[in-house]
Amino acid sequence: MADILNRHFQSTLSLSRSQSAFVQFAIFGAYFVMGIPAGLFMKRFGYKNGVLLGLSLFATGAFLFVPAANTASFTFFGIALFILGCGLSTLETVAHPFMAALGDQRTSDQRVNFAQSFNAVGAMLGPAIGSYFLFQNYTPGSTDLTSVKILYLVIGGLIALIAISFSFVKVPPTTDPHAVSADGDAVNIDLTPGKKLFEHTHFRWAVAAQFFNVAAQSGTWAFFINYGHEQMGFSEATAGKYMVLFMFMMLSGRFIGTFLMRVIAPATLLASFALANILMCIIVAQDFGWPSFIALLAINFFFSIMFPTIFSLGLKNLGKHTQQASSFISMGVVGGALFPLIMGKVADNVGVAHAYYLPIICYIVIFAFGARFYKVKH
């Protein structure tokens, strides 16, 4: 929904594209700040309490939209988004190692991708709900933020209800990542226990790949509505509706990608999808009309498996370092805070279409990780 907010704030608060990109900066910057504290909290208090902390921060940030809207302060909105982002960071840090620990690590890539397929359902509903509330009845030139206030008040209430409900859930026992097994591939044990975390090259590359992955994602998503409105001539409401289709592409990519991982190695699939997105970005930047817009939609299909696959590949065979590694890979998400600002500057100067050349740099790094640097070195 942040991508809908990005465009809405441009209109209601009279912001430039580079200024409105602070929406992404506040959310993804929180990942950098909260990554390590969330990992330490999870290690001390467990997965369940980590989820509850994340949901509580999420709800608090959403409720703070009410005073932010009352004061019409973009700075206040930034603070609310940052707290909301801290909740997201905590949930992200906890969820991936939790999912990986629920079974054999040889299938953790499929398990995490399958779980994140349902995340994509939320990514479809977010733009649909956001577009309806923020664009459907918007009058050009209006500075009224009542719709933003009501929307996030409802979201905060729902998240608080989920937190209360989850507090009653009994979390099943998980695979101990410190366990010793005769089968070194069966559980997430460290086959080189003498190594420190950052001596594992596949982990270091996973952090870098995640940084550039989320950078590409946040930049692509942040200016999707701008592209539809400025390059395709859609109304903002129509562009918002296309964003639902955009997110459906990610949903279908996750399910199809999870299936393909049964016959194609996850790292190979990752590298192939990165190459495909390099081609898609080139087509988008040419501004060919509908062919470029279809390529823009396809970016989300190929992007679909990247986040969970990089995460699971980066956590393999780290043993006691697993939870700490999860924190650092989550911190790599800070790329999403920086890249929209750069893309916004480029879009302000040379147009939003040419700004889509920039994510190609990101996909080159992801390709390198999937093609070669994912390998665990003993």
Side-chain angles (χ1 to χ4, degrees):
M1 215 175 280
D3 306 298
I4 302 294
L5 276 178
N6 185 311
R7 177 59 188 172
H8 189 61
F9 283 152
Q10 289 175 30
S11 302
T12 56
L13 298 176
S14 301
L15 303 176
S16 69
R17 283 169 291 202
S18 55
Q19 287 174 323
S20 68
F22 187 76
V23 169
Q24 276 74 20
F25 181 84
I27 294 174
F28 290 109
Y31 276 78
F32 182 77
V33 173
M34 197 63 189
I36 290 179
L40 293 173
F41 185 92
M42 171 177 60
K43 190 171 184 179
R44 174 69 177 84
F45 297 104
Y47 292 120
K48 180 176 180 178
N49 288 323
V51 170
L52 291 174
L53 174 63
L55 291 171
S56 299
L57 288 170
F58 192 160
T60 300
F63 287 136
L64 286 175
F65 268 63
V66 176
N70 288 338
T71 59
S73 169
F74 188 55
T75 301
F76 206 149
F77 275 118
I79 294 171
L81 285 164
F82 178 80
I83 294 172
L84 189 152
C86 285
L88 292 174
S89 174
T90 301
L91 291 169
E92 203 82 69
T93 301
V94 173
H96 287 85
F98 185 22
M99 188 61 60
L102 287 172
D104 192 327
Q105 81 156 0
R106 288 172 295 189
T107 55
S108 64
D109 310 283
Q110 297 176 36
R111 198 158 51 249
V112 174
N113 269 282
F114 181 72
Q116 283 231 338
S117 297
F118 297 93
N119 170 287
V121 175
M124 287 174 58
L125 291 176
I129 295 170
S131 295
Y132 178 80
F133 276 91
L134 303 184
F135 293 152
Q136 195 71 25
N137 298 312
Y138 173 71
T139 302
S142 172
T143 58
D144 184 27
L145 292 165
T146 302
S147 57
V148 176
K149 179 168 60 177
I150 294 173
L151 176 59
Y152 276 83
L153 186 62
V154 172
I155 290 172
L158 289 173
I159 296 298
L161 182 62
I162 292 171
I164 293 170
S165 301
F166 191 76
S167 67
F168 294 101
V169 172
K170 291 184 178 180
V171 175
T174 56
T175 303
D176 182 2
H178 307 170
V180 178
S181 171
D183 183 353
D185 289 326
V187 294
N188 192 17
I189 65 170
D190 190 347
L191 301 181
T192 53
K195 275 189 177 182
K196 295 179 181 179
L197 175 59
F198 278 89
E199 291 177 342
H200 291 272
T201 56
H202 75 289
F203 158 73
R204 295 202 307 268
W205 268 92
V207 172
Q210 202 67 288
F211 176 93
F212 285 102
N213 171 54
V214 181
Q217 171 209 316
S218 62
T220 301
W221 290 11
F223 299 106
F224 178 86
I225 291 178
N226 284 94
Y227 194 98
H229 181 62
E230 296 169 24
Q231 308 304 129
M232 299 298 296
F234 301 145
S235 67
E236 292 179 348
T238 300
K241 290 177 181 178
Y242 272 111
M243 196 165 192
V244 178
L245 175 60
F246 187 52
M247 294 304 175
F248 176 77
M249 297 296 286
M250 184 173 71
L251 172 66
S252 60
R254 286 241 170 100
F255 278 115
I256 292 171
T258 301
F259 174 78
L260 289 176
M261 284 181 189
R262 297 186 177 189
V263 293
I264 302 174
T268 302
L269 196 63
L270 177 67
S272 301
F273 277 25
L275 279 178
N277 264 357
I278 291 173
L279 177 60
M280 295 302 107
C281 285
I282 292 173
I283 296 173
V284 170
Q286 303 311 304
D287 193 17
F288 288 143
W290 274 104
S292 290
F293 191 69
I294 291 170
L296 180 57
L297 294 172
I299 286 176
N300 232 24
F301 176 89
F302 294 114
F303 163 76
S304 61
I305 68 161
M306 291 183 182
F307 189 100
T309 304
I310 291 169
F311 220 113
S312 58
L313 289 172
L315 292 180
K316 287 190 182 297
N317 290 111
L318 293 180
K320 64 182 181 181
H321 300 303
T322 300
Q323 292 171 330
Q324 184 184 14
S326 177
S327 295
F328 281 107
I329 296 176
S330 289
M331 287 174 66
V333 173
V334 73
L338 304 175
F339 209 69
L341 297 174
I342 301 172
M343 282 190 68
K345 286 288 186 183
V346 173
D348 284 340
N349 287 291
V350 299
V352 69
H354 287 98
Y356 278 89
Y357 278 122
L358 292 178
I360 292 174
I361 301 168
C362 304
Y363 291 119
I364 290 172
V365 175
I366 297 167
F367 170 78
F369 175 68
R372 180 176 179 182
F373 297 107
Y374 73 93
K375 297 177 181 177
V376 178
K377 296 182 178 179
H378 304 325

